[in-house]
Amino acid sequence: MIIMQQNREIWDKKIQKIWLIWKENCPFCKKNIDKEEKKLILKETDFWEIRYNKYPYSWIKDHLLAFPKRHIEFTKDLNEKELVDFKNVSTFINNYFKEKEYFSFVRESFTGRSIAHLHYHYLPWNIHSSDFEKILNKN
């Protein structure tokens, strides 16, 4: 069983005194991750990692994250190999959600972000747009 937090309150408490987590403390760049966190990893490609979000938005099951293994902050900073390998991320995500609808987003500015490491969110589409707006405004 994969252990995920039921809400983002724990994450909010973790970062409440920090405006943004930079490279020095980046949770995506940690070299030594514990057993529980390893269980969150769904897929690794040459240049990307896909995992369950340890602190998913509100009540959302299957909130996935994809991020480059190299620490970068913006999509424009992806190199050619990372961009080509992103196709493997897309293929995995499509296979993961199968026939279910899903959507993705990335925040390219620092506003509203909590981690300064490029990461894409993938969420099941069974969320109504009004719910999504509430989620983003809260988180």
Side-chain angles (χ1 to χ4, degrees):
M1 177 78 185
I2 295 169
I3 310 264
M4 291 191 297
Q5 302 302 329
Q6 296 302 310
N7 56 53
R8 293 201 32 114
E9 290 176 15
I10 293 168
W11 179 250
D12 291 341
K13 286 178 186 171
K14 270 185 148 180
I15 66 162
Q16 72 187 130
K17 293 184 175 128
I18 304 169
W19 173 68
L20 187 65
I21 296 175
W22 298 96
K23 186 175 182 176
E24 301 79 36
N25 300 314
C26 180
F28 302 146
C29 292
K30 290 193 307 190
K31 300 294 182 218
N32 300 314
I33 61 174
D34 62 33
K35 274 191 328 186
E36 291 303 315
E37 198 151 339
K38 280 185 182 177
K39 292 178 184 176
L40 297 174
I41 300 170
L42 290 167
K43 170 89 173 161
E44 287 190 71
T45 69
D46 290 340
F47 299 97
W48 291 84
E49 184 173 305
I50 304 163
R51 63 167 72 168
Y52 289 106
N53 189 343
K54 186 175 182 179
Y55 304 101
Y57 287 140
S58 299
W59 36 263
I60 302 169
K61 185 181 174 214
D62 292 332
H63 180 173
L64 307 184
L65 299 175
F67 54 89
K69 292 179 179 178
R70 180 173 68 99
H71 187 94
I72 59 173
E73 296 177 10
F74 300 101
T75 300
K76 69 178 180 58
D77 299 325
L78 291 167
N79 64 37
E80 188 173 344
K81 290 179 180 177
E82 291 161 333
L83 285 167
V84 169
D85 192 35
F86 190 75
K87 184 174 183 176
N88 294 315
V89 172
S90 294
T91 299
F92 177 85
I93 294 295
N94 283 325
N95 290 335
Y96 179 86
F97 285 106
K98 294 182 179 128
E99 301 298 318
K100 292 187 232 169
E101 294 290 327
Y102 70 91
F103 65 96
S104 64
F105 68 93
V106 60
R107 292 179 180 167
E108 288 284 342
S109 70
F110 289 121
T111 305
R113 276 171 95 175
S114 55
I115 300 172
H117 186 131
L118 176 66
H119 58 286
Y120 293 82
H121 293 259
Y122 295 89
L123 300 145
W125 185 250
N126 59 357
I127 301 167
H128 297 285
S129 59
S130 59
D131 293 332
F132 187 64
E133 188 175 322
K134 289 179 210 168
I135 290 165
L136 285 180
N137 286 334
K138 182 177 182 211
N139 297 298

